[in-house]
Amino acid sequence: MLAVLARQVFARVLIAIPMIFALSIVVFVVLRMLPADPLAMMLPPTATPAEVDALRAALGLDRSLPVQYGIWLAHALHGDLGRSITSGETVTHLIATNLPATIELSVVALVFSLIISIPGGLLLYALHKRRGELLADGFVVLLISVPSFLWGIFLMLLLGVMWPVLPFSDRFGADIAPPKVTGFALIDFLLRGDLHAWGNAFSHLVLPALALALGFAPLIIRVLRASLLEAAGEQYAMVARLRGQSDTRIVLRHMLKNAALPTLTLIGVQFGFLFGGTLLIEMIFSFPGLGNLMVQAVRNHDLPLIQGIALVFCVIILVINTCVDCLYTVVNPRLRDA
């Protein structure tokens, strides 16, 4: 199986290289076509035309578009994505500082969504052709129709303002020393044995992660229920019934494993959207992640930073899809011989 996984990863990497190259061109060209002058954010209103021309030449913005891209690509291949126009720090450092927070938020949101969706899917399947099915199905449709950012605002007002039981801004309290080992607060605080800081960081994650999960879980619930209904008509399920096994045992021991395959595919596809959805959620909760950094970069017309973050987002989505493909191969034995 390891050989199959290695071939799959190698094939994915081969496909990803031209995709990342094409995406970098698209992002670079689109950003240069925007009617925004980054120099306006760097120079005072009293700057003379000579000063503007000097700064434009210093940043390489006076050269042709292909030359600018060639210079950027040459530096990017060496891990240098340029410097932020507003802060002056390297784009690589800014991304490395903020990326762990977004990954941490996305993973916790995924865990929350699985905690909600797996029992929800099983319950919806159990209510099939029974009283309450219509009501439960309508409730799930209602959940799907509410986007994550609305859940974020609602949760903030309810559990952060009306009943202030959870913090709703920042990544951890002001009295907590920031993580320095991996950048992941939950891991670093555990490594240094500081359970108070860990609990504080987790409490700051609950509301934004729950907002993302509530927008993600209803889709999984519906797909899991549909997969279970399909599995219920399979021969192995009917044979198990003839042997006298209980419905609960058949579902949990036989059907759930097979129904997990299409559900896993959906999670893999939708996790990319969930990762992208952190952008708005991080803004709402003032969460210092990559999405928040992206919004600030767009607001300041910080082209190098926007381009670096967009590229990182694309790479992460490709990595997520590769991981899901590998996981799918592990779960589905038929793909190992394909």
Side-chain angles (χ1 to χ4, degrees):
M1 187 173 67
L2 289 177
V4 176
L5 291 177
R7 282 201 304 271
Q8 205 163 37
V9 171
F10 182 68
R12 276 286 186 178
V13 170
L14 285 182
I15 296 171
I17 291 172
M19 286 177 65
I20 293 172
F21 180 69
L23 284 169
S24 69
I25 293 175
V26 171
V27 173
F28 192 90
V29 172
V30 168
L31 288 178
R32 265 58 183 183
M33 291 175 67
L34 291 176
D37 187 2
L39 299 183
M41 304 297 296
M42 305 175 64
L43 292 169
T46 56
T48 64
E51 290 173 332
V52 173
D53 291 340
L55 184 58
R56 193 181 301 279
L59 295 175
L61 298 175
D62 59 336
R63 303 183 185 183
S64 66
L65 210 56
V67 172
Q68 288 184 45
Y69 177 75
I71 295 171
W72 177 85
L73 182 63
H75 286 91
L77 290 174
H78 291 86
D80 179 10
L81 297 175
R83 285 185 174 275
S84 165
I85 289 175
T86 49
S87 70
E89 294 184 70
T90 62
V91 171
T92 310
H93 171 71
L94 289 171
I95 291 174
T97 304
N98 290 272
L99 182 59
T102 299
I103 293 177
E104 200 166 56
L105 174 61
S106 302
V107 171
V108 173
L110 178 63
V111 172
F112 281 2
S113 66
L114 292 176
I115 292 173
I116 296 169
S117 59
I118 292 176
L122 291 170
L123 177 64
L124 208 59
Y125 168 76
L127 289 174
H128 181 57
K129 293 183 178 179
R130 292 184 182 179
R131 185 181 297 174
E133 182 188 13
L134 190 62
L135 183 64
D137 202 31
F139 181 68
V140 174
V141 172
L142 177 67
L143 292 180
I144 291 176
S145 62
V146 181
S148 291
F149 74 90
L150 276 184
W151 280 118
I153 294 171
F154 174 72
L155 290 171
M156 178 189 287
L157 292 175
L158 183 67
L159 300 176
V161 178
M162 290 179 65
W163 292 287
V165 293
L166 288 168
F168 57 88
S169 67
D170 220 332
R171 197 178 172 195
F172 37 77
D175 58 329
I176 305 291
K180 292 182 179 178
V181 181
T182 65
F184 296 95
L186 297 182
I187 295 176
D188 284 1
F189 293 152
L190 273 184
L191 289 177
R192 73 186 191 203
D194 192 343
L195 294 181
H196 168 69
W198 190 93
N200 186 281
F202 183 75
S203 67
H204 280 76
L205 273 171
V206 170
L207 289 183
L210 192 57
L212 286 167
L214 287 172
F216 187 45
L219 295 171
I220 305 176
I221 290 175
R222 288 180 69 86
V223 171
L224 181 59
R225 179 233 194 181
S227 303
L228 286 170
L229 287 175
E230 188 178 341
E234 296 289 336
Q235 192 173 8
Y236 66 86
M238 291 188 280
V239 170
R241 286 191 199 97
L242 291 174
R243 288 179 176 174
Q245 294 187 18
S246 66
D247 287 342
T248 304
R249 182 182 173 87
I250 294 170
V251 170
L252 296 179
R253 187 162 184 178
H254 304 290
M255 291 166 51
L256 190 57
K257 183 179 178 182
N258 292 292
L261 295 176
T263 309
L264 184 62
T265 304
L266 175 79
I267 292 172
V269 173
Q270 291 294 324
F271 187 67
F273 291 103
L274 185 144
F275 192 81
T278 57
L279 192 145
L280 274 178
I281 293 298
E282 287 181 2
M283 276 297 294
I284 292 170
F285 289 96
S286 302
F287 196 81
L290 206 58
N292 216 336
L293 187 66
M294 179 66 149
V295 173
Q296 292 173 21
V298 171
R299 188 179 295 161
N300 296 324
H301 303 160
D302 197 334
L303 299 187
L305 189 53
I306 296 172
Q307 185 158 307
I309 295 173
L311 193 65
V312 168
F313 262 103
C314 295
V315 171
I316 288 175
I317 299 299
L318 289 171
V319 170
I320 290 170
N321 286 331
T322 303
C323 292
V324 171
D325 284 349
C326 293
L327 191 57
Y328 201 75
T329 304
V330 172
V331 176
N332 190 350
R334 287 175 293 185
L335 292 179
R336 297 172 202 165
D337 302 325

